[in-house]
Amino acid sequence: MSEIPPKNKTLVPIIIIAGLFFIFGFVTWINGALIPFMKTINELTDAESYLVASASYISFVVMALPASSIINSIGYKKGMSLGLIVMAIGALVFIPAANARTYWVFLFAIFIQGAGMTLLQTASNPYITILGPIESAAKRIAIMGIANKVAGALGSVIFGAILLSGIDDLKNKLVTVKAAEKASLLDTMANSVVTPYIVMAIVLFTLGVFIRKAPLPDVEAEPLTATSSDEKIKTSIFQFPHLWLGVLALFVYVGVEVVAGDTIIAYGISLDIPVEKAKFFTLFTLMAMVATYALGVVLIPKYISQTFALKASAILGILLSFCIVFTTGFTSVLLLAALGIANALVWPAIWPLAITGLGKFTKTASALLIMAISGGAIIPPLYGALVDYKKQEFISNGITEVLATADAASFGYWILLPSYLIIFYYAFWGHKVGLQSN
Protein backbone atom coordinates (compact mmCIF):
# COMPACT_ATOMS: atom_id res chain seq x y z
CA MET A 1 0.00 0.00 0.00
CA SER A 2 1.37 3.44 -0.93
CA GLU A 3 1.89 5.92 1.87
CA ILE A 4 0.55 9.47 1.87
CA PRO A 5 3.27 11.70 0.39
CA PRO A 6 4.87 14.27 2.73
CA LYS A 7 3.41 17.79 2.61
CA ASN A 8 6.24 19.21 0.50
CA LYS A 9 5.61 16.51 -2.12
CA THR A 10 1.87 17.20 -2.48
CA LEU A 11 1.93 20.81 -3.70
CA VAL A 12 2.39 20.03 -7.39
CA PRO A 13 -0.23 17.24 -7.41
CA ILE A 14 -2.70 19.57 -5.63
CA ILE A 15 -2.11 22.26 -8.28
CA ILE A 16 -2.63 19.72 -11.08
CA ILE A 17 -5.83 18.34 -9.57
CA ALA A 18 -7.05 21.91 -8.99
CA GLY A 19 -6.57 22.42 -12.72
CA LEU A 20 -8.82 19.44 -13.40
CA PHE A 21 -11.47 20.81 -11.04
CA PHE A 22 -11.20 24.08 -12.98
CA ILE A 23 -11.92 22.24 -16.21
CA PHE A 24 -15.02 20.35 -15.14
CA GLY A 25 -16.24 23.40 -13.21
CA PHE A 26 -16.12 25.41 -16.43
CA VAL A 27 -18.00 22.74 -18.38
CA THR A 28 -20.57 22.07 -15.63
CA TRP A 29 -21.63 25.62 -14.88
CA ILE A 30 -22.26 26.77 -18.45
CA ASN A 31 -25.58 24.91 -18.08
CA GLY A 32 -26.99 28.07 -16.50
CA ALA A 33 -26.63 29.79 -19.88
CA LEU A 34 -27.43 26.70 -21.94
CA ILE A 35 -30.86 26.21 -20.32
CA PRO A 36 -32.47 29.49 -21.51
CA PHE A 37 -30.54 29.18 -24.78
CA MET A 38 -31.91 25.69 -25.48
CA LYS A 39 -35.38 26.75 -24.36
CA THR A 40 -35.38 29.46 -27.04
CA ILE A 41 -33.83 27.66 -30.01
CA ASN A 42 -35.85 24.46 -29.47
CA GLU A 43 -39.04 26.18 -28.21
CA LEU A 44 -39.26 24.19 -24.97
CA THR A 45 -41.29 24.29 -21.76
CA ASP A 46 -39.53 24.97 -18.44
CA ALA A 47 -39.51 21.28 -17.54
CA GLU A 48 -38.11 20.30 -20.95
CA SER A 49 -35.38 22.94 -20.78
CA TYR A 50 -34.07 21.58 -17.46
CA LEU A 51 -33.32 18.27 -19.20
CA VAL A 52 -30.05 20.02 -20.04
CA ALA A 53 -29.10 19.51 -16.39
CA SER A 54 -30.56 15.99 -16.42
CA ALA A 55 -28.51 14.91 -19.44
CA SER A 56 -25.33 16.07 -17.75
CA TYR A 57 -25.96 14.64 -14.30
CA ILE A 58 -27.73 11.38 -15.18
CA SER A 59 -24.46 10.22 -16.71
CA PHE A 60 -23.09 10.01 -13.17
CA VAL A 61 -25.60 7.20 -12.48
CA VAL A 62 -24.97 5.37 -15.73
CA MET A 63 -21.19 5.71 -15.72
CA ALA A 64 -20.09 5.83 -12.07
CA LEU A 65 -19.68 2.08 -11.47
CA PRO A 66 -18.09 1.48 -14.90
CA ALA A 67 -15.80 4.43 -14.12
CA SER A 68 -14.83 2.81 -10.82
CA SER A 69 -14.02 -0.43 -12.64
CA ILE A 70 -11.96 1.44 -15.23
CA ILE A 71 -10.01 3.31 -12.54
CA ASN A 72 -9.39 0.10 -10.62
CA SER A 73 -7.87 -1.29 -13.82
CA ILE A 74 -5.86 1.67 -15.12
CA GLY A 75 -5.32 3.84 -12.02
CA TYR A 76 -6.20 7.38 -11.04
CA LYS A 77 -3.92 9.22 -13.49
CA LYS A 78 -4.97 7.36 -16.66
CA GLY A 79 -8.59 7.59 -15.52
CA MET A 80 -8.32 11.38 -15.35
CA SER A 81 -6.72 11.49 -18.79
CA LEU A 82 -9.44 9.32 -20.32
CA GLY A 83 -12.13 11.47 -18.72
CA LEU A 84 -10.76 14.61 -20.38
CA ILE A 85 -10.66 12.92 -23.80
CA VAL A 86 -14.27 11.70 -23.46
CA MET A 87 -15.32 15.26 -22.54
CA ALA A 88 -13.59 16.51 -25.69
CA ILE A 89 -15.57 14.03 -27.81
CA GLY A 90 -18.77 15.32 -26.23
CA ALA A 91 -17.80 18.89 -27.14
CA LEU A 92 -17.39 17.85 -30.78
CA VAL A 93 -20.90 16.35 -30.87
CA PHE A 94 -22.25 19.88 -30.35
CA ILE A 95 -21.31 20.61 -33.97
CA PRO A 96 -23.82 18.20 -35.63
CA ALA A 97 -26.32 19.06 -32.88
CA ALA A 98 -26.16 22.75 -33.80
CA ASN A 99 -26.33 22.04 -37.53
CA ALA A 100 -29.47 19.93 -37.08
CA ARG A 101 -30.91 22.09 -34.26
CA THR A 102 -32.16 18.88 -32.71
CA TYR A 103 -32.65 18.88 -28.96
CA TRP A 104 -31.94 15.18 -28.32
CA VAL A 105 -28.58 15.47 -30.13
CA PHE A 106 -27.64 18.39 -27.87
CA LEU A 107 -28.67 16.29 -24.88
CA PHE A 108 -26.58 13.37 -26.17
CA ALA A 109 -23.54 15.67 -26.46
CA ILE A 110 -24.09 16.90 -22.91
CA PHE A 111 -24.46 13.30 -21.73
CA ILE A 112 -21.12 12.33 -23.30
CA GLN A 113 -19.44 15.25 -21.58
CA GLY A 114 -21.09 14.13 -18.35
CA ALA A 115 -19.65 10.64 -18.86
CA GLY A 116 -16.18 12.14 -19.18
CA MET A 117 -16.73 14.22 -16.05
CA THR A 118 -17.83 11.06 -14.24
CA LEU A 119 -14.47 9.44 -14.99
CA LEU A 120 -12.66 12.62 -14.03
CA GLN A 121 -14.52 13.05 -10.75
CA THR A 122 -14.43 9.36 -9.79
CA ALA A 123 -10.64 9.57 -10.02
CA SER A 124 -9.92 13.09 -8.75
CA ASN A 125 -12.23 13.34 -5.71
CA PRO A 126 -10.90 10.33 -3.75
CA TYR A 127 -7.38 11.14 -4.95
CA ILE A 128 -7.39 14.63 -3.43
CA THR A 129 -9.17 13.30 -0.31
CA ILE A 130 -6.46 10.74 0.47
CA LEU A 131 -3.50 12.79 -0.78
CA GLY A 132 -2.98 14.05 2.78
CA PRO A 133 -4.38 13.59 6.30
CA ILE A 134 -8.11 12.84 6.39
CA GLU A 135 -8.60 15.55 9.05
CA SER A 136 -7.64 18.24 6.53
CA ALA A 137 -9.37 16.68 3.53
CA ALA A 138 -12.16 19.27 3.59
CA LYS A 139 -9.51 21.98 3.34
CA ARG A 140 -7.98 20.41 0.22
CA ILE A 141 -11.39 19.85 -1.34
CA ALA A 142 -12.27 23.47 -0.55
CA ILE A 143 -9.22 24.52 -2.59
CA MET A 144 -10.57 22.33 -5.40
CA GLY A 145 -13.93 24.02 -4.97
CA ILE A 146 -12.38 27.45 -5.45
CA ALA A 147 -10.85 26.32 -8.74
CA ASN A 148 -14.14 24.67 -9.75
CA LYS A 149 -16.35 27.64 -9.02
CA VAL A 150 -14.00 30.33 -10.37
CA ALA A 151 -14.02 28.34 -13.60
CA GLY A 152 -17.80 28.06 -13.39
CA ALA A 153 -18.09 31.81 -12.96
CA LEU A 154 -15.90 32.38 -16.03
CA GLY A 155 -17.86 29.79 -18.00
CA SER A 156 -21.24 31.27 -17.11
CA VAL A 157 -20.09 34.79 -18.05
CA ILE A 158 -18.34 33.77 -21.28
CA PHE A 159 -21.11 31.47 -22.50
CA GLY A 160 -23.78 33.87 -21.23
CA ALA A 161 -22.24 36.56 -23.44
CA ILE A 162 -21.91 34.22 -26.42
CA LEU A 163 -25.29 32.49 -26.21
CA LEU A 164 -27.64 35.00 -24.57
CA SER A 165 -26.63 38.35 -26.03
CA GLY A 166 -29.56 39.76 -28.00
CA ILE A 167 -31.89 36.93 -26.97
CA ASP A 168 -34.60 39.37 -25.78
CA ASP A 169 -34.71 41.08 -29.17
CA LEU A 170 -34.75 37.70 -30.89
CA LYS A 171 -37.71 36.51 -28.80
CA ASN A 172 -39.67 39.62 -29.72
CA LYS A 173 -38.81 39.17 -33.40
CA LEU A 174 -39.83 35.47 -33.40
CA VAL A 175 -43.38 36.43 -32.48
CA THR A 176 -43.83 38.55 -35.61
CA VAL A 177 -41.91 36.76 -38.40
CA LYS A 178 -43.13 34.01 -40.71
CA ALA A 179 -42.22 30.34 -40.21
CA ALA A 180 -39.35 30.26 -42.74
CA GLU A 181 -37.66 33.35 -41.33
CA LYS A 182 -38.23 32.09 -37.80
CA ALA A 183 -36.45 28.82 -38.63
CA SER A 184 -33.57 30.76 -40.19
CA LEU A 185 -33.17 32.96 -37.11
CA LEU A 186 -33.19 29.95 -34.80
CA ASP A 187 -30.66 28.10 -36.99
CA THR A 188 -28.32 31.08 -36.87
CA MET A 189 -28.62 31.25 -33.10
CA ALA A 190 -27.99 27.50 -32.75
CA ASN A 191 -24.79 27.73 -34.79
CA SER A 192 -23.34 30.21 -32.30
CA VAL A 193 -22.24 27.24 -30.14
CA VAL A 194 -20.00 25.69 -32.81
CA THR A 195 -16.83 27.78 -32.43
CA PRO A 196 -16.68 27.79 -28.60
CA TYR A 197 -17.18 24.03 -28.48
CA ILE A 198 -14.46 23.41 -31.07
CA VAL A 199 -12.09 25.45 -28.90
CA MET A 200 -13.24 23.50 -25.84
CA ALA A 201 -12.58 20.17 -27.59
CA ILE A 202 -9.04 21.18 -28.54
CA VAL A 203 -8.24 22.29 -24.98
CA LEU A 204 -9.67 19.10 -23.45
CA PHE A 205 -7.79 16.80 -25.85
CA THR A 206 -4.54 18.65 -25.11
CA LEU A 207 -5.03 18.40 -21.35
CA GLY A 208 -5.94 14.72 -21.67
CA VAL A 209 -2.53 14.05 -23.21
CA PHE A 210 -0.72 16.29 -20.70
CA ILE A 211 -2.17 14.61 -17.61
CA ARG A 212 -0.73 11.22 -18.66
CA LYS A 213 2.78 12.61 -18.09
CA ALA A 214 1.95 14.71 -15.01
CA PRO A 215 3.90 14.02 -11.76
CA LEU A 216 1.06 12.50 -9.73
CA PRO A 217 2.14 10.02 -6.99
CA ASP A 218 0.29 6.75 -6.38
CA VAL A 219 -1.79 6.86 -3.18
CA GLU A 220 -4.24 4.49 -1.49
CA ALA A 221 -6.71 4.98 1.35
CA GLU A 222 -6.06 3.54 4.80
CA PRO A 223 -8.54 0.90 6.02
CA LEU A 224 -10.59 1.13 9.21
CA THR A 225 -8.63 -0.61 11.92
CA ALA A 226 -10.38 -2.70 14.53
CA THR A 227 -10.40 -1.15 18.01
CA SER A 228 -10.88 -4.42 19.94
CA SER A 229 -10.41 -8.12 19.45
CA ASP A 230 -14.18 -8.56 19.22
CA GLU A 231 -14.57 -6.46 16.10
CA LYS A 232 -14.68 -8.05 12.67
CA ILE A 233 -12.98 -6.76 9.58
CA LYS A 234 -15.48 -5.29 7.11
CA THR A 235 -16.06 -7.52 4.10
CA SER A 236 -18.72 -5.64 2.11
CA ILE A 237 -19.52 -2.09 1.02
CA PHE A 238 -22.98 -2.64 2.52
CA GLN A 239 -21.44 -2.73 6.01
CA PHE A 240 -20.87 1.03 5.97
CA PRO A 241 -24.23 2.76 6.61
CA HIS A 242 -22.52 6.12 7.08
CA LEU A 243 -21.40 5.84 3.45
CA TRP A 244 -24.91 5.16 2.13
CA LEU A 245 -26.36 8.02 4.14
CA GLY A 246 -23.55 10.16 2.71
CA VAL A 247 -24.61 9.13 -0.80
CA LEU A 248 -28.16 10.30 -0.04
CA ALA A 249 -26.92 13.58 1.45
CA LEU A 250 -24.72 14.21 -1.60
CA PHE A 251 -27.62 13.34 -3.94
CA VAL A 252 -29.87 16.05 -2.51
CA TYR A 253 -26.95 18.45 -2.09
CA VAL A 254 -25.98 18.33 -5.76
CA GLY A 255 -29.65 18.78 -6.64
CA VAL A 256 -29.97 21.99 -4.63
CA GLU A 257 -26.57 23.24 -5.79
CA VAL A 258 -27.64 22.84 -9.43
CA VAL A 259 -31.02 24.45 -8.71
CA ALA A 260 -29.25 27.45 -7.14
CA GLY A 261 -26.78 27.81 -10.02
CA ASP A 262 -28.72 26.68 -13.09
CA THR A 263 -32.18 28.14 -12.45
CA ILE A 264 -31.16 31.58 -11.24
CA ILE A 265 -30.84 33.12 -14.73
CA ALA A 266 -34.22 31.75 -15.85
CA TYR A 267 -35.68 32.83 -12.48
CA GLY A 268 -34.44 36.38 -12.97
CA ILE A 269 -35.92 36.45 -16.48
CA SER A 270 -39.26 35.20 -15.10
CA LEU A 271 -39.23 38.20 -12.72
CA ASP A 272 -39.00 40.45 -15.81
CA ILE A 273 -35.36 41.29 -15.17
CA PRO A 274 -33.65 41.96 -18.55
CA VAL A 275 -31.46 39.14 -19.87
CA GLU A 276 -28.51 41.52 -20.10
CA LYS A 277 -28.57 41.68 -16.28
CA ALA A 278 -29.91 38.19 -15.50
CA LYS A 279 -27.14 36.45 -17.45
CA PHE A 280 -24.72 37.38 -14.65
CA PHE A 281 -26.80 35.84 -11.84
CA THR A 282 -25.06 32.45 -11.89
CA LEU A 283 -21.87 34.43 -11.27
CA PHE A 284 -23.41 35.71 -8.01
CA THR A 285 -24.04 32.16 -6.79
CA LEU A 286 -20.58 30.94 -7.73
CA MET A 287 -18.77 33.92 -6.20
CA ALA A 288 -20.65 33.31 -2.95
CA MET A 289 -19.34 29.74 -3.07
CA VAL A 290 -15.78 30.83 -3.83
CA ALA A 291 -15.74 33.25 -0.88
CA THR A 292 -17.00 30.51 1.44
CA TYR A 293 -14.51 27.99 0.07
CA ALA A 294 -11.76 30.49 0.88
CA LEU A 295 -13.04 30.69 4.45
CA GLY A 296 -12.99 26.90 4.59
CA VAL A 297 -9.37 26.79 3.50
CA VAL A 298 -8.43 29.18 6.32
CA LEU A 299 -10.67 27.75 9.06
CA ILE A 300 -10.60 23.95 8.49
CA PRO A 301 -9.30 22.11 10.49
CA LYS A 302 -7.38 24.68 12.57
CA TYR A 303 -10.39 26.59 13.88
CA ILE A 304 -13.47 24.52 12.97
CA SER A 305 -14.01 20.87 12.09
CA GLN A 306 -15.43 19.74 8.76
CA THR A 307 -18.41 18.37 10.73
CA PHE A 308 -19.14 21.80 12.21
CA ALA A 309 -18.92 23.35 8.73
CA LEU A 310 -21.50 20.84 7.48
CA LYS A 311 -23.87 21.56 10.36
CA ALA A 312 -23.67 25.33 9.80
CA SER A 313 -24.21 24.88 6.06
CA ALA A 314 -27.34 22.78 6.58
CA ILE A 315 -28.89 25.27 9.01
CA LEU A 316 -28.18 28.20 6.67
CA GLY A 317 -29.65 26.29 3.72
CA ILE A 318 -32.89 25.69 5.63
CA LEU A 319 -33.19 29.36 6.63
CA LEU A 320 -32.47 30.64 3.10
CA SER A 321 -34.99 28.21 1.57
CA PHE A 322 -37.76 29.80 3.63
CA CYS A 323 -36.56 33.31 2.83
CA ILE A 324 -36.47 32.72 -0.94
CA VAL A 325 -40.10 31.63 -1.24
CA PHE A 326 -41.37 34.39 1.04
CA THR A 327 -39.64 37.26 -0.79
CA THR A 328 -39.99 38.69 -4.29
CA GLY A 329 -38.01 40.50 -6.96
CA PHE A 330 -34.28 41.09 -6.89
CA THR A 331 -34.18 40.38 -3.14
CA SER A 332 -35.21 36.77 -3.77
CA VAL A 333 -32.57 36.52 -6.51
CA LEU A 334 -29.89 37.61 -4.04
CA LEU A 335 -31.16 35.12 -1.46
CA LEU A 336 -31.04 32.38 -4.09
CA ALA A 337 -27.46 33.38 -4.91
CA ALA A 338 -26.69 33.28 -1.17
CA LEU A 339 -27.33 29.54 -1.28
CA GLY A 340 -23.80 29.47 -2.64
CA ILE A 341 -22.66 30.23 0.93
CA ALA A 342 -24.77 27.38 2.33
CA ASN A 343 -23.65 24.96 -0.39
CA ALA A 344 -19.92 25.60 -0.61
CA LEU A 345 -18.63 23.44 2.24
CA VAL A 346 -21.19 20.61 1.97
CA TRP A 347 -19.32 18.62 -0.69
CA PRO A 348 -15.88 19.09 0.97
CA ALA A 349 -17.29 17.99 4.33
CA ILE A 350 -19.39 15.01 3.21
CA TRP A 351 -16.62 13.34 1.16
CA PRO A 352 -14.12 12.69 3.97
CA LEU A 353 -16.92 11.84 6.42
CA ALA A 354 -18.46 9.34 4.00
CA ILE A 355 -15.24 7.51 3.05
CA THR A 356 -13.78 7.42 6.57
CA GLY A 357 -12.37 3.94 7.27
CA LEU A 358 -13.31 2.37 3.92
CA GLY A 359 -9.79 1.26 2.99
CA LYS A 360 -9.94 -1.12 -0.01
CA PHE A 361 -13.58 -0.13 -0.58
CA THR A 362 -12.67 3.51 -1.23
CA LYS A 363 -12.76 3.31 -5.05
CA THR A 364 -16.17 1.61 -4.99
CA ALA A 365 -17.41 4.09 -2.40
CA SER A 366 -16.13 6.90 -4.61
CA ALA A 367 -18.21 5.55 -7.50
CA LEU A 368 -21.30 5.49 -5.28
CA LEU A 369 -20.68 9.05 -4.14
CA ILE A 370 -20.15 10.14 -7.74
CA MET A 371 -23.47 8.46 -8.63
CA ALA A 372 -25.04 10.79 -6.08
CA ILE A 373 -24.25 13.65 -8.46
CA SER A 374 -27.34 12.40 -10.33
CA GLY A 375 -29.28 14.53 -7.87
CA GLY A 376 -28.48 17.28 -10.35
CA ALA A 377 -30.41 15.30 -12.97
CA ILE A 378 -33.50 14.73 -10.84
CA ILE A 379 -34.17 17.77 -8.67
CA PRO A 380 -33.87 20.62 -11.26
CA PRO A 381 -36.45 19.03 -13.64
CA LEU A 382 -38.72 18.46 -10.64
CA TYR A 383 -38.36 22.18 -9.96
CA GLY A 384 -39.22 22.89 -13.60
CA ALA A 385 -42.24 20.56 -13.53
CA LEU A 386 -43.47 22.21 -10.32
CA VAL A 387 -43.10 25.64 -11.95
CA ASP A 388 -45.04 24.52 -15.05
CA TYR A 389 -47.82 23.04 -12.90
CA LYS A 390 -48.20 26.07 -10.64
CA LYS A 391 -48.06 28.45 -13.60
CA GLN A 392 -51.02 26.73 -15.27
CA GLU A 393 -52.87 26.67 -11.96
CA PHE A 394 -52.31 30.39 -11.42
CA ILE A 395 -53.37 31.23 -14.98
CA SER A 396 -56.55 29.14 -14.63
CA ASN A 397 -57.34 31.20 -11.51
CA GLY A 398 -57.26 34.40 -13.54
CA ILE A 399 -53.73 35.58 -12.79
CA THR A 400 -51.91 37.21 -15.72
CA GLU A 401 -49.27 35.11 -17.43
CA VAL A 402 -46.41 37.43 -16.44
CA LEU A 403 -47.36 37.36 -12.75
CA ALA A 404 -48.16 33.64 -12.86
CA THR A 405 -44.72 32.91 -14.31
CA ALA A 406 -42.96 34.86 -11.56
CA ASP A 407 -45.07 33.44 -8.72
CA ALA A 408 -44.70 29.87 -10.01
CA ALA A 409 -40.93 30.22 -10.35
CA SER A 410 -40.74 31.40 -6.74
CA PHE A 411 -43.09 28.68 -5.46
CA GLY A 412 -40.91 25.99 -7.08
CA TYR A 413 -38.13 26.67 -4.57
CA TRP A 414 -40.07 24.84 -1.88
CA ILE A 415 -38.26 21.82 -3.34
CA LEU A 416 -35.11 23.02 -1.55
CA LEU A 417 -36.37 22.50 1.99
CA PRO A 418 -36.53 18.68 2.25
CA SER A 419 -33.08 18.43 0.68
CA TYR A 420 -31.47 20.66 3.30
CA LEU A 421 -33.27 18.74 6.06
CA ILE A 422 -31.58 15.53 4.85
CA ILE A 423 -28.19 17.28 4.87
CA PHE A 424 -29.02 18.53 8.38
CA TYR A 425 -29.62 14.93 9.54
CA TYR A 426 -26.35 13.69 8.06
CA ALA A 427 -24.39 16.56 9.61
CA PHE A 428 -25.65 15.91 13.14
CA TRP A 429 -26.21 12.15 13.23
CA GLY A 430 -25.99 10.30 9.89
CA HIS A 431 -22.22 10.47 9.43
CA LYS A 432 -21.72 8.50 12.69
CA VAL A 433 -24.13 5.64 11.96
CA GLY A 434 -22.33 2.28 12.02
CA LEU A 435 -18.93 3.68 12.96
CA GLN A 436 -17.25 2.44 16.15
CA SER A 437 -16.59 5.14 18.68
CA ASN A 438 -12.96 5.49 19.60
Side-chain angles (χ1 to χ4, degrees):
M1 177 179 295
S2 300
E3 296 182 355
I4 295 172
K7 188 174 181 179
N8 62 348
K9 296 282 185 71
T10 61
L11 178 60
V12 172
I14 286 174
I15 292 172
I16 292 171
I17 302 302
L20 295 182
F21 273 79
F22 184 95
I23 293 300
F24 59 70
F26 188 97
V27 175
T28 298
W29 289 100
I30 61 179
N31 284 346
L34 278 176
I35 287 168
F37 175 79
M38 293 295 178
K39 183 179 179 182
T40 299
I41 67 170
N42 292 291
E43 301 176 283
L44 308 170
T45 66
D46 281 303
E48 289 169 340
S49 67
Y50 287 114
L51 291 176
V52 167
S54 294
S56 179
Y57 290 101
I58 201 67
S59 60
F60 291 100
V61 173
V62 177
M63 288 300 299
L65 289 176
S68 175
S69 178
I70 291 170
I71 291 164
N72 274 319
S73 298
I74 67 177
Y76 288 121
K77 185 194 292 190
K78 291 181 181 178
M80 295 174 200
S81 174
L82 180 59
L84 288 164
I85 291 170
V86 172
M87 289 173 67
I89 294 170
L92 292 176
V93 177
F94 269 81
I95 299 171
N99 291 335
R101 195 163 55 84
T102 303
Y103 191 40
W104 74 264
V105 182
F106 278 115
L107 294 180
F108 181 59
I110 294 168
F111 175 84
I112 293 173
Q113 287 206 309
M117 283 191 285
T118 304
L119 268 168
L120 200 55
Q121 294 228 40
T122 305
S124 59
N125 277 287
Y127 186 88
I128 198 67
T129 301
I130 62 180
L131 189 60
I134 195 72
E135 297 80 12
S136 60
K139 179 176 182 175
R140 291 190 298 280
I141 300 176
I143 294 171
M144 301 305 106
I146 292 173
N148 184 275
K149 298 309 182 290
V150 167
L154 288 173
S156 67
V157 170
I158 293 169
F159 274 73
I162 294 171
L163 303 181
L164 301 180
S165 293
I167 197 171
D168 282 335
D169 293 337
L170 178 63
K171 286 180 179 178
N172 293 332
K173 188 180 294 185
L174 292 174
V175 176
T176 60
V177 298
K178 294 181 180 179
E181 187 177 353
K182 180 179 181 180
S184 177
L185 288 169
L186 292 175
D187 287 343
T188 300
M189 186 177 181
N191 285 327
S192 64
V193 304
V194 172
T195 299
Y197 274 91
I198 289 175
V199 173
M200 184 188 295
I202 292 171
V203 172
L204 290 170
F205 271 121
T206 302
L207 290 173
V209 173
F210 164 78
I211 207 70
R212 288 290 296 272
K213 300 185 182 299
L216 296 175
D218 293 327
V219 293
E220 293 291 342
E222 293 294 333
L224 185 66
T225 55
T227 57
S228 76
S229 59
D230 296 326
E231 291 176 11
K232 295 181 179 178
I233 299 298
K234 304 287 188 180
T235 58
S236 169
I237 196 74
F238 295 102
Q239 294 174 292
F240 299 95
H242 76 288
L243 165 66
W244 293 94
L245 290 169
V247 170
L248 175 61
L250 270 187
F251 177 90
V252 295
Y253 156 69
V254 176
V256 295
E257 183 189 54
V258 174
V259 166
D262 283 4
T263 71
I264 192 169
I265 294 175
Y267 180 54
I269 294 170
S270 76
L271 298 177
D272 207 27
I273 297 173
V275 172
E276 288 304 309
K277 293 182 179 179
K279 70 184 181 182
F280 294 109
F281 289 168
T282 297
L283 178 64
F284 295 173
T285 305
L286 295 176
M287 288 298 94
M289 296 188 78
V290 168
T292 312
Y293 278 133
L295 280 176
V297 171
V298 173
L299 298 177
I300 300 172
K302 185 174 182 180
Y303 299 104
I304 64 173
S305 68
Q306 46 207 21
T307 307
F308 178 85
L310 186 58
K311 291 175 180 178
S313 298
I315 293 169
L316 181 59
I318 291 168
L319 294 174
L320 286 173
S321 297
F322 279 111
C323 292
I324 290 164
V325 296
F326 286 118
T327 55
T328 58
F330 189 62
T331 300
S332 64
V333 171
L334 291 178
L335 289 167
L336 183 58
L339 283 178
I341 301 171
N343 291 338
L345 297 180
V346 176
W347 178 279
I350 289 179
W351 261 90
L353 292 174
I355 68 171
T356 296
L358 267 72
K360 66 181 180 180
F361 298 105
T362 299
K363 291 186 176 72
T364 303
S366 172
L368 294 171
L369 290 165
I370 292 299
M371 287 176 73
I373 295 175
S374 61
I378 306 301
I379 295 178
L382 289 178
Y383 166 82
L386 187 56
V387 171
D388 284 340
Y389 171 77
K390 292 302 293 186
K391 179 180 176 181
Q392 293 305 314
E393 181 181 298
F394 289 148
I395 291 173
S396 66
N397 290 332
I399 299 176
T400 64
E401 183 171 354
V402 172
L403 187 57
T405 299
D407 288 348
S410 179
F411 181 88
Y413 289 116
W414 276 114
I415 204 166
L416 298 170
L417 186 58
S419 297
Y420 282 113
L421 288 172
I422 290 171
I423 296 169
F424 179 87
Y425 168 76
Y426 191 75
F428 282 85
W429 302 285
H431 72 279
K432 296 181 285 188
V433 175
L435 289 178
Q436 298 290 337
S437 58
N438 294 322

